[in-house]
Amino acid sequence: MKNIFESINYVETKTAVKNMMGLYKLLLLRLEENEMPRVTTKYGLTYSGSTSCNSTKSSVESYVIKKIVLDNKMNEYLTKIITAFNKLDETERKYLYLKFLTDSAMSDDQIMPQCHMCLRSFRELKKMAFIKFAMALGIEVYN
């Protein structure tokens, strides 16, 4: 297993995860308040998908069909991210949640005390969180 982690380009994988989380936050802007993913006490995410009814009898059916297809793709994407996020252990989820999913972005210096770790352990946690999350999403970059 160690050889797999050594063959992953950490810097590019970290960039891919940051880009993915940025897109995730943009997609959340399209959701209604009652459709937003919820955070559990152990930093897990729950998401039930769209609860709105997309059936309409308008003369602009092609627009509605495109919107439904886009909404379905968005729901699939959100579900994929949440499933990958929930595969991580609690401390890895906590780190990624505090880093990317809070309203105000937190720096690593602010997150480390909340994780109750020394600097060395925190750096290892951070690296593993990015790599494991990227692997769960299938976006890891190899050397």
Side-chain angles (χ1 to χ4, degrees), residues 122-134:
F122 182 74
R123 285 183 179 158
E124 185 65 27
L125 164 77
K126 186 170 88 166
K127 184 175 182 176
M128 292 306 294
F130 278 113
I131 290 173
K132 287 169 62 177
F133 188 56

Side-chain angles (χ1 to χ4, degrees), residues 35-48:
E35 298 174 329
M36 297 291 280
R38 305 283 183 229
V39 180
T40 66
T41 57
K42 295 193 180 232
Y43 294 93
L45 292 175
T46 59
Y47 176 65
S48 60

Side-chain angles (χ1 to χ4, degrees), residues 14-30 77-78 81 96 99-101 130 133 137 139:
K14 183 177 173 182
T15 301
V17 168
K18 286 180 177 181
N19 291 338
M20 184 73 79
M21 295 306 280
L23 185 55
Y24 173 79
K25 286 187 87 165
L26 285 175
L27 287 175
L28 292 180
L29 295 174
R30 295 200 53 174
Y77 181 80
L78 289 171
I81 289 178
L96 290 175
K99 184 72 175 175
F100 297 109
L101 301 180
F130 278 113
F133 188 56
L137 286 169
I139 61 169

